[in-house]
PDB file of all heavy atoms in Angstrom:
ATOM      1  N   MET A  57     104.146 -59.217  12.559  1.00  0.00           N
ATOM      2  CA  MET A  57     103.506 -59.751  13.690  1.00  0.00           C
ATOM      3  C   MET A  57     103.994 -61.083  14.193  1.00  0.00           C
ATOM      4  O   MET A  57     103.484 -61.693  15.175  1.00  0.00           O
ATOM      5  CB  MET A  57     101.979 -60.004  13.335  1.00  0.00           C
ATOM      6  CG  MET A  57     101.166 -58.768  12.989  1.00  0.00           C
ATOM      7  SD  MET A  57      99.555 -59.188  12.420  1.00  0.00           S
ATOM      8  CE  MET A  57      98.882 -60.188  13.833  1.00  0.00           C
ATOM      9  N   HIS A  61     107.190 -66.099  20.715  1.00  0.00           N
ATOM     10  CA  HIS A  61     106.728 -67.139  21.553  1.00  0.00           C
ATOM     11  C   HIS A  61     105.814 -67.991  20.755  1.00  0.00           C
ATOM     12  O   HIS A  61     104.746 -68.363  21.241  1.00  0.00           O
ATOM     13  CB  HIS A  61     105.986 -66.651  22.816  1.00  0.00           C
ATOM     14  CG  HIS A  61     105.038 -65.603  22.572  1.00  0.00           C
ATOM     15  ND1 HIS A  61     105.328 -64.225  22.512  1.00  0.00           N
ATOM     16  CD2 HIS A  61     103.682 -65.680  22.339  1.00  0.00           C
ATOM     17  CE1 HIS A  61     104.203 -63.628  22.207  1.00  0.00           C
ATOM     18  NE2 HIS A  61     103.178 -64.470  22.139  1.00  0.00           N
ATOM     19  N   ARG A  65     102.805 -69.373  23.922  1.00  0.00           N
ATOM     20  CA  ARG A  65     101.829 -68.631  24.615  1.00  0.00           C
ATOM     21  C   ARG A  65     100.790 -68.102  23.706  1.00  0.00           C
ATOM     22  O   ARG A  65     100.966 -67.433  22.714  1.00  0.00           O
ATOM     23  CB  ARG A  65     102.469 -67.388  25.375  1.00  0.00           C
ATOM     24  CG  ARG A  65     101.524 -66.699  26.370  1.00  0.00           C
ATOM     25  CD  ARG A  65     102.108 -65.461  26.954  1.00  0.00           C
ATOM     26  NE  ARG A  65     103.456 -65.712  27.486  1.00  0.00           N
ATOM     27  CZ  ARG A  65     104.587 -65.318  26.969  1.00  0.00           C
ATOM     28  NH1 ARG A  65     104.653 -64.645  25.903  1.00  0.00           N
ATOM     29  NH2 ARG A  65     105.724 -65.537  27.491  1.00  0.00           N
ATOM     30  N   LEU A  66      99.433 -68.527  23.919  1.00  0.00           N
ATOM     31  CA  LEU A  66      98.359 -68.068  23.052  1.00  0.00           C
ATOM     32  C   LEU A  66      97.427 -67.196  23.975  1.00  0.00           C
ATOM     33  O   LEU A  66      97.303 -67.568  25.271  1.00  0.00           O
ATOM     34  CB  LEU A  66      97.633 -69.235  22.539  1.00  0.00           C
ATOM     35  CG  LEU A  66      98.400 -70.236  21.629  1.00  0.00           C
ATOM     36  CD1 LEU A  66      97.524 -71.363  21.105  1.00  0.00           C
ATOM     37  CD2 LEU A  66      99.094 -69.543  20.480  1.00  0.00           C
ATOM     38  N   TYR A  67      96.657 -66.228  23.406  1.00  0.00           N
ATOM     39  CA  TYR A  67      95.825 -65.444  24.151  1.00  0.00           C
ATOM     40  C   TYR A  67      94.372 -65.554  23.770  1.00  0.00           C
ATOM     41  O   TYR A  67      94.010 -66.062  22.651  1.00  0.00           O
ATOM     42  CB  TYR A  67      96.224 -63.892  23.968  1.00  0.00           C
ATOM     43  CG  TYR A  67      97.567 -63.551  24.532  1.00  0.00           C
ATOM     44  CD1 TYR A  67      98.738 -63.811  23.807  1.00  0.00           C
ATOM     45  CD2 TYR A  67      97.785 -63.112  25.808  1.00  0.00           C
ATOM     46  CE1 TYR A  67      99.950 -63.531  24.281  1.00  0.00           C
ATOM     47  CE2 TYR A  67      99.007 -62.888  26.360  1.00  0.00           C
ATOM     48  CZ  TYR A  67     100.081 -63.056  25.566  1.00  0.00           C
ATOM     49  OH  TYR A  67     101.402 -62.843  26.099  1.00  0.00           O
ATOM     50  N   LYS A  68      93.480 -65.259  24.692  1.00  0.00           N
ATOM     51  CA  LYS A  68      92.120 -65.635  24.509  1.00  0.00           C
ATOM     52  C   LYS A  68      91.446 -64.783  23.462  1.00  0.00           C
ATOM     53  O   LYS A  68      91.797 -63.561  23.330  1.00  0.00           O
ATOM     54  CB  LYS A  68      91.406 -65.402  25.883  1.00  0.00           C
ATOM     55  CG  LYS A  68      89.953 -65.955  25.836  1.00  0.00           C
ATOM     56  CD  LYS A  68      89.455 -65.973  27.245  1.00  0.00           C
ATOM     57  CE  LYS A  68      88.035 -66.705  27.282  1.00  0.00           C
ATOM     58  NZ  LYS A  68      87.573 -66.774  28.686  1.00  0.00           N
ATOM     59  N   VAL A  69      90.570 -65.318  22.771  1.00  0.00           N
ATOM     60  CA  VAL A  69      89.722 -64.559  21.652  1.00  0.00           C
ATOM     61  C   VAL A  69      88.274 -64.728  22.048  1.00  0.00           C
ATOM     62  O   VAL A  69      87.890 -65.408  23.051  1.00  0.00           O
ATOM     63  CB  VAL A  69      89.985 -65.332  20.344  1.00  0.00           C
ATOM     64  CG1 VAL A  69      91.394 -65.171  19.880  1.00  0.00           C
ATOM     65  CG2 VAL A  69      89.498 -66.723  20.294  1.00  0.00           C
ATOM     66  N   LEU A  74      84.642 -66.288  16.939  1.00  0.00           N
ATOM     67  CA  LEU A  74      85.489 -67.211  16.254  1.00  0.00           C
ATOM     68  C   LEU A  74      84.782 -68.361  15.605  1.00  0.00           C
ATOM     69  O   LEU A  74      85.025 -68.700  14.491  1.00  0.00           O
ATOM     70  CB  LEU A  74      86.605 -67.727  17.196  1.00  0.00           C
ATOM     71  CG  LEU A  74      87.602 -68.773  16.659  1.00  0.00           C
ATOM     72  CD1 LEU A  74      88.540 -68.098  15.650  1.00  0.00           C
ATOM     73  CD2 LEU A  74      88.424 -69.363  17.794  1.00  0.00           C
ATOM     74  N   ALA A 110      96.143 -66.877   8.198  1.00  0.00           N
ATOM     75  CA  ALA A 110      97.442 -66.500   8.827  1.00  0.00           C
ATOM     76  C   ALA A 110      97.368 -65.336   9.757  1.00  0.00           C
ATOM     77  O   ALA A 110      97.996 -65.358  10.865  1.00  0.00           O
ATOM     78  CB  ALA A 110      98.448 -66.182   7.617  1.00  0.00           C
ATOM     79  N   PHE A 111      96.514 -64.451   9.432  1.00  0.00           N
ATOM     80  CA  PHE A 111      96.260 -63.229  10.308  1.00  0.00           C
ATOM     81  C   PHE A 111      95.636 -63.693  11.670  1.00  0.00           C
ATOM     82  O   PHE A 111      95.996 -63.240  12.695  1.00  0.00           O
ATOM     83  CB  PHE A 111      95.440 -62.183   9.581  1.00  0.00           C
ATOM     84  CG  PHE A 111      95.209 -60.888  10.319  1.00  0.00           C
ATOM     85  CD1 PHE A 111      96.216 -60.418  11.108  1.00  0.00           C
ATOM     86  CD2 PHE A 111      94.013 -60.292  10.331  1.00  0.00           C
ATOM     87  CE1 PHE A 111      96.007 -59.144  11.875  1.00  0.00           C
ATOM     88  CE2 PHE A 111      93.666 -59.052  11.057  1.00  0.00           C
ATOM     89  CZ  PHE A 111      94.773 -58.582  11.760  1.00  0.00           C
ATOM     90  N   LEU A 112      94.628 -64.566  11.454  1.00  0.00           N
ATOM     91  CA  LEU A 112      93.996 -65.198  12.703  1.00  0.00           C
ATOM     92  C   LEU A 112      94.970 -65.896  13.541  1.00  0.00           C
ATOM     93  O   LEU A 112      94.985 -65.820  14.820  1.00  0.00           O
ATOM     94  CB  LEU A 112      92.834 -66.040  12.247  1.00  0.00           C
ATOM     95  CG  LEU A 112      92.061 -66.666  13.344  1.00  0.00           C
ATOM     96  CD1 LEU A 112      91.441 -65.699  14.319  1.00  0.00           C
ATOM     97  CD2 LEU A 112      90.965 -67.661  12.719  1.00  0.00           C
ATOM     98  N   PHE A 113      95.794 -66.738  12.912  1.00  0.00           N
ATOM     99  CA  PHE A 113      96.837 -67.559  13.683  1.00  0.00           C
ATOM    100  C   PHE A 113      97.738 -66.653  14.395  1.00  0.00           C
ATOM    101  O   PHE A 113      98.153 -66.838  15.625  1.00  0.00           O
ATOM    102  CB  PHE A 113      97.500 -68.473  12.782  1.00  0.00           C
ATOM    103  CG  PHE A 113      98.689 -69.206  13.385  1.00  0.00           C
ATOM    104  CD1 PHE A 113      98.511 -70.290  14.224  1.00  0.00           C
ATOM    105  CD2 PHE A 113      99.977 -68.790  13.097  1.00  0.00           C
ATOM    106  CE1 PHE A 113      99.575 -70.823  14.903  1.00  0.00           C
ATOM    107  CE2 PHE A 113     101.067 -69.513  13.594  1.00  0.00           C
ATOM    108  CZ  PHE A 113     100.914 -70.500  14.523  1.00  0.00           C
ATOM    109  N   LEU A 114      98.312 -65.518  13.722  1.00  0.00           N
ATOM    110  CA  LEU A 114      99.309 -64.713  14.378  1.00  0.00           C
ATOM    111  C   LEU A 114      98.668 -63.826  15.496  1.00  0.00           C
ATOM    112  O   LEU A 114      99.333 -63.571  16.447  1.00  0.00           O
ATOM    113  CB  LEU A 114     100.010 -63.956  13.295  1.00  0.00           C
ATOM    114  CG  LEU A 114     100.811 -64.657  12.287  1.00  0.00           C
ATOM    115  CD1 LEU A 114     101.375 -63.663  11.208  1.00  0.00           C
ATOM    116  CD2 LEU A 114     102.001 -65.233  13.109  1.00  0.00           C
ATOM    117  N   ILE A 115      97.438 -63.402  15.231  1.00  0.00           N
ATOM    118  CA  ILE A 115      96.886 -62.449  16.225  1.00  0.00           C
ATOM    119  C   ILE A 115      96.545 -63.035  17.513  1.00  0.00           C
ATOM    120  O   ILE A 115      96.621 -62.265  18.509  1.00  0.00           O
ATOM    121  CB  ILE A 115      95.668 -61.673  15.667  1.00  0.00           C
ATOM    122  CG1 ILE A 115      95.463 -60.342  16.236  1.00  0.00           C
ATOM    123  CG2 ILE A 115      94.426 -62.580  15.652  1.00  0.00           C
ATOM    124  CD1 ILE A 115      94.455 -59.418  15.487  1.00  0.00           C
ATOM    125  N   ILE A 116      96.342 -64.265  17.566  1.00  0.00           N
ATOM    126  CA  ILE A 116      96.089 -64.987  18.900  1.00  0.00           C
ATOM    127  C   ILE A 116      97.410 -65.123  19.681  1.00  0.00           C
ATOM    128  O   ILE A 116      97.399 -65.460  20.856  1.00  0.00           O
ATOM    129  CB  ILE A 116      95.374 -66.389  18.648  1.00  0.00           C
ATOM    130  CG1 ILE A 116      96.409 -67.256  17.982  1.00  0.00           C
ATOM    131  CG2 ILE A 116      94.125 -66.210  17.987  1.00  0.00           C
ATOM    132  CD1 ILE A 116      95.820 -68.782  17.927  1.00  0.00           C
ATOM    133  N   HIS A 117      98.502 -64.791  19.104  1.00  0.00           N
ATOM    134  CA  HIS A 117      99.772 -64.718  19.810  1.00  0.00           C
ATOM    135  C   HIS A 117     100.101 -63.253  20.364  1.00  0.00           C
ATOM    136  O   HIS A 117     101.011 -63.083  21.101  1.00  0.00           O
ATOM    137  CB  HIS A 117     100.992 -65.111  18.834  1.00  0.00           C
ATOM    138  CG  HIS A 117     101.027 -66.496  18.586  1.00  0.00           C
ATOM    139  ND1 HIS A 117     100.308 -67.097  17.641  1.00  0.00           N
ATOM    140  CD2 HIS A 117     101.714 -67.607  19.110  1.00  0.00           C
ATOM    141  CE1 HIS A 117     100.512 -68.373  17.548  1.00  0.00           C
ATOM    142  NE2 HIS A 117     101.444 -68.717  18.410  1.00  0.00           N
ATOM    143  N   VAL A 118      99.165 -62.351  19.942  1.00  0.00           N
ATOM    144  CA  VAL A 118      99.484 -60.909  20.324  1.00  0.00           C
ATOM    145  C   VAL A 118      98.946 -60.670  21.783  1.00  0.00           C
ATOM    146  O   VAL A 118      97.681 -60.945  21.957  1.00  0.00           O
ATOM    147  CB  VAL A 118      98.933 -59.888  19.368  1.00  0.00           C
ATOM    148  CG1 VAL A 118      98.937 -58.482  19.807  1.00  0.00           C
ATOM    149  CG2 VAL A 118      99.554 -60.127  17.937  1.00  0.00           C
ATOM    150  N   PRO A 119      99.659 -60.185  22.668  1.00  0.00           N
ATOM    151  CA  PRO A 119      99.148 -60.030  24.018  1.00  0.00           C
ATOM    152  C   PRO A 119      98.084 -58.930  24.151  1.00  0.00           C
ATOM    153  O   PRO A 119      98.207 -57.954  23.266  1.00  0.00           O
ATOM    154  CB  PRO A 119     100.468 -59.681  24.870  1.00  0.00           C
ATOM    155  CG  PRO A 119     101.383 -59.118  23.887  1.00  0.00           C
ATOM    156  CD  PRO A 119     101.077 -59.823  22.532  1.00  0.00           C
ATOM    157  N   VAL A 415      88.603 -60.459  11.879  1.00  0.00           N
ATOM    158  CA  VAL A 415      89.624 -61.192  12.784  1.00  0.00           C
ATOM    159  C   VAL A 415      90.077 -60.217  13.883  1.00  0.00           C
ATOM    160  O   VAL A 415      90.230 -60.644  15.028  1.00  0.00           O
ATOM    161  CB  VAL A 415      90.861 -61.471  11.839  1.00  0.00           C
ATOM    162  CG1 VAL A 415      91.979 -61.973  12.729  1.00  0.00           C
ATOM    163  CG2 VAL A 415      90.458 -62.585  10.803  1.00  0.00           C
ATOM    164  N   ILE A 418      87.312 -60.460  16.406  1.00  0.00           N
ATOM    165  CA  ILE A 418      87.375 -61.743  17.074  1.00  0.00           C
ATOM    166  C   ILE A 418      88.481 -61.721  18.193  1.00  0.00           C
ATOM    167  O   ILE A 418      88.195 -62.374  19.206  1.00  0.00           O
ATOM    168  CB  ILE A 418      87.661 -62.867  16.036  1.00  0.00           C
ATOM    169  CG1 ILE A 418      86.425 -63.073  15.122  1.00  0.00           C
ATOM    170  CG2 ILE A 418      88.106 -64.189  16.668  1.00  0.00           C
ATOM    171  CD1 ILE A 418      86.774 -64.049  13.930  1.00  0.00           C
ATOM    172  N   ARG A 419      89.549 -61.102  17.995  1.00  0.00           N
ATOM    173  CA  ARG A 419      90.671 -61.161  18.930  1.00  0.00           C
ATOM    174  C   ARG A 419      90.384 -60.181  20.144  1.00  0.00           C
ATOM    175  O   ARG A 419      90.729 -60.595  21.271  1.00  0.00           O
ATOM    176  CB  ARG A 419      92.038 -60.766  18.221  1.00  0.00           C
ATOM    177  CG  ARG A 419      93.201 -60.714  19.153  1.00  0.00           C
ATOM    178  CD  ARG A 419      93.504 -61.870  19.905  1.00  0.00           C
ATOM    179  NE  ARG A 419      94.579 -61.656  20.882  1.00  0.00           N
ATOM    180  CZ  ARG A 419      94.320 -61.223  22.069  1.00  0.00           C
ATOM    181  NH1 ARG A 419      93.033 -60.984  22.608  1.00  0.00           N
ATOM    182  NH2 ARG A 419      95.377 -61.056  22.896  1.00  0.00           N
TER     183      ARG A 419
END
Side-chain angles (χ1 to χ4, degrees):
M57 296 175 57
H61 50 271
R65 192 186 305 109
L66 303 178
Y67 292 86
K68 193 168 184 177
V69 299
L74 178 68
F111 185 38
L112 178 60
F113 171 74
L114 290 173
I115 205 170
I116 63 177
H117 289 82
V118 174
V415 171
I418 288 170
R419 172 62 186 88

